[in-house]
Amino acid sequence: MARIAVIGAGMGALAAAARLAVAGHRVAVYERTETYGGAVRRLERDGFRFDTGPGLLTLPAVWRDLFVKTGREPLEDCVELVQVDPSSRHLFADGTAAALPNASRAGVVAALDEALGAGAGARWGDFLVRAREAWDRARRPLLEEPLWPNWEVLAGREPYPAVPHKRLLRTRRAGTLAEVGAWELRDPRLAALLESHALGYGLDPETAPAGAAVLPYMEHAFGTWYVRGGMRELARAVYERCLARKVDFHFGAEVTGVLEKDGRAAGLELADGTVAEADLVVGTGPWRLAGLTHGRALYDEADVEPRPEFLAGGRVVVCLALRGGREPGAAHRTVVHTPDRRGELDAFGTAEPPARPTVRVDRPDDPALRPDEEHESVVLTATVPAGVTCDWTVPGAADAFADRMTEAAERAVPELRGRTLWREVRTPVHTAAETGAEGGAVPPPALAAAEGTFLYPANSTRVPGLFTVGGWSHPGGGLAHAGMSGALVAGLIVEGPDFRGSQ
């Protein structure tokens, strides 16, 4: 039985802690804030509740597996999972709208044909077939196995089987997600539908590899799910599972250094001057962890280069308390696409956020989130592209962007501004405070190809006894990927360096 110190109480760290504890180890978690869950937070005010992090869940099997492996109570005994239908409604720039059934290829094809014209559904359906092939090729080495030294296989191989495209007398294959949309879908609305999955993670469709097609495929194949009471309930359930497995939590405990003894990780130094001895250390975020190892390199030159956090974007979230009840049949999630695609994409790498962003509107039909049936809680989310250096603390900066988001969202929620009792705006500044991510960046999932640009550092480091977990480590960001990361770290510790992932 080893003493294991875990830095941070994000979802990946919690997943690792629960698995390690049930394997018989003594696990202690040190979290600098006063609560658990990382970016999976909740805002409560005047009887309203809002999810300020992820609003929906894909691949719930990841968390089901955690609960099966760590106790008798399955996930569904601890939270109520609801499959959202439609999975999303899309309002396109030309005024057309499409509601996509959850996890039904035939239903999606029919819905797109009806909304966008005959043939649109078939093109999207054919794309999903190719996206499935990309998923089948990349799933195991990219998501279910540790990142091995031969990671270059993932860096150079494009898993998406692009359709040959003749252009200027030459035959080419799509190398980016934007090229897939333009060359294979051949409809700006279908292209917007495709690109919205990248934009939701802060990825630029013009640089994201074609293999990013796995992002819409995951939503299509495994469905989109909501946790009754808000997504924070999932974090609560995982935290309580950790407590049941005797994980020890220390909140308000800022880690300032990783101790080493005889060349191995041997514990933690805390801001209050105390020392927590351990046999193994699990940290969140290779870049933050590197600052705690007193200059000791975490990776060899041949390993995946730790990607700077500024390559990922952040998010602005607007929480709206509305008078008036939610109308019957309203979609849980509506994506309002920008009327200025070029302007939104050009914002990547610039100082200012897009003037007219794509906005996600979440309207859960959940009595737990509102004071009564005469009110409604709504959450608006927009991506802040990577490289934006806007100072959100300047008076009026956040409100001005929130005004533009609200104006766009009124296409999805009639009379939205007139119904608003109050609002709270959360920017990357809040994300940075809650997660420690530089600039409030939110990590996207790992992606194959593109010379490894979208891969993350391995969960094992060159420092014996020191591991990394969470969104900034393999296999990247997102709720499902956080759970996968925790499972990989636990496997490497429990089964050793020859661990090859769950079978």
Side-chain angles (χ1 to χ4, degrees), residues 83-87 100-102 224 332:
Q83 194 167 19
V84 176
D85 199 14
S87 63
L100 306 184
N102 203 334
T224 53
H332 183 116

Side-chain angles (χ1 to χ4, degrees), residues 74 104 126 130 159 171 193 273 302 460:
S104 169
D126 291 344
R130 294 188 291 274
T171 298
L193 171 59
S460 301

Side-chain angles (χ1 to χ4, degrees), residues 37-346:
V40 185
R41 297 292 179 102
R42 172 188 288 157
L43 172 66
E44 298 188 36
R45 176 180 161 187
D46 299 341
F48 292 89
R49 292 180 172 185
F50 308 88
D51 283 324
T52 60
L56 290 174
L57 176 68
T58 56
L59 280 173
V62 172
W63 297 101
R64 290 190 179 113
D65 181 72
L66 172 71
F67 277 74
V68 167
K69 301 290 177 57
T70 60
R72 295 179 179 177
E73 306 87 0
L75 176 62
E76 280 82 352
D77 281 1
C78 302
V79 298
E80 182 183 353
L81 284 177
V82 180
Q83 194 167 19
V84 176
D85 199 14
S87 63
S88 59
R89 179 171 177 256
H90 291 260
L91 298 179
F92 298 105
D94 68 351
T96 55
L100 306 184
N102 203 334
S104 169
R105 181 179 181 275
V108 168
V109 168
L112 290 174
D113 274 343
E114 181 179 357
L116 308 184
R123 289 196 296 277
W124 184 258
D126 291 344
F127 158 74
L128 287 176
V129 172
R130 294 188 291 274
R132 176 180 179 175
E133 187 171 338
W135 170 260
D136 290 340
R137 289 175 176 176
R139 173 181 57 83
R140 186 159 183 81
L142 185 65
L143 302 178
E144 298 178 355
E145 297 179 347
L147 190 67
W148 302 114
N150 63 343
W151 60 268
E152 291 89 349
V153 175
L154 281 172
R157 179 183 179 186
E158 173 55 72
Y160 181 77
V163 176
H165 171 76
K166 288 188 177 180
R167 188 178 186 187
L168 299 178
L169 303 180
R170 293 190 302 169
T171 298
R172 299 179 58 186
R173 293 180 180 270
T176 68
L177 202 65
E179 289 175 341
V180 171
W183 299 355
E184 298 179 17
L185 298 178
R186 304 190 309 278
D187 184 313
R189 298 163 298 184
L190 291 178
L193 171 59
L194 173 63
E195 292 178 357
S196 67
H197 291 83
L199 292 169
Y201 284 108
L203 295 171
D204 182 353
E206 295 188 319
T207 59
V214 298
L215 300 178
Y217 175 76
M218 286 169 55
E219 179 178 306
H220 162 76
F222 306 107
T224 53
W225 300 77
Y226 172 69
V227 180
R228 185 71 66 187
M231 298 301 295
R232 176 70 174 173
E233 289 299 294
L234 177 63
R236 175 198 56 76
V238 177
Y239 169 66
E240 291 181 353
R241 177 55 54 91
C242 288
L243 292 178
R245 300 285 81 81
K246 309 302 182 184
V247 175
D248 190 16
F249 283 86
H250 303 268
F251 293 106
E254 183 176 359
V255 177
T256 57
V258 174
L259 296 174
E260 287 191 39
K261 183 178 181 180
D262 299 328
R264 291 183 55 87
L268 305 176
E269 300 169 342
L270 303 177
D272 64 4
T274 61
V275 168
E277 295 183 351
D279 303 304
L280 300 164
V281 173
V282 176
T284 54
W287 302 275
R288 294 194 298 279
L289 196 58
L292 303 176
T293 55
H294 308 290
R296 179 84 176 268
L298 296 182
Y299 299 96
D300 294 322
E301 290 184 3
D303 292 329
V304 171
E305 287 290 332
R307 49 181 279 176
E309 289 180 318
F310 64 76
L311 288 180
R315 292 175 186 156
V316 174
V317 176
V318 182
C319 302
L320 296 169
L322 304 185
R323 65 172 62 87
R326 182 180 186 272
E327 67 268 22
H332 183 116
R333 169 165 294 176
T334 300
V335 179
V336 182
H337 294 268
T338 179
D340 182 13
R341 173 185 180 273
R342 187 68 263 156
E344 183 168 48
L345 298 186
D346 285 346

